[in-house]
């Protein structure tokens, strides 16, 4: 399914989980079913925290500019 695809992709490159709403946090401990945020984070997706999808996309681009994919996770830590 799509949760497996997200996990496979997250193993190769940073994948950020963001809300489609303009404000409010991405939940991290609410839904544990396959494809829920607990599952996707467990598969390696990075929660965007309080950032909207657009802001998360911009931050991810900035974090990856140095060529280090490992910089993505720490870049989102202050927004959790």
């Amino acid at each position: 399914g799509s949760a497996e695809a997200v996990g496979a992709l997250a193993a190769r490159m940073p994948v950020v989980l963001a809300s489609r709403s303009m404000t409010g946090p991405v939940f991290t401990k609410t839904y544990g079913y396959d494809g829920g945020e607990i599952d996707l984070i467990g598969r390696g997706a990075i929660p965007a925290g309080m950032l909207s999808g657009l802001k998360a996309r911009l931050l991810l681009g900035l974090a990856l500019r140095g060529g280090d994919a490992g910089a993505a996770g720490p870049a989102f830590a202050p927004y959790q």
Side-chain angles (χ1 to χ4, degrees):
S2 59
E4 292 84 12
V6 169
L9 190 59
R12 296 186 356 233
M13 66 180 67
V15 173
V16 178
L17 178 62
S19 172
R20 294 183 80 175
S21 65
M22 292 306 291
T23 61
V26 169
F27 294 137
T28 58
K29 298 177 183 171
T30 305
Y31 300 108
Y33 56 83
D34 286 348
E37 86 279 355
I38 294 171
D39 178 47
L40 294 177
I41 292 167
R43 293 175 189 266
I46 302 166
M50 294 296 292
L51 298 178
S52 67
L54 176 59
K55 290 178 182 178
R57 179 180 171 201
L58 292 170
L59 180 59
L60 180 61
L62 290 172
L64 296 178
R65 287 186 74 174
D68 178 14
F76 285 89
Y79 302 98
Q80 301 309 311

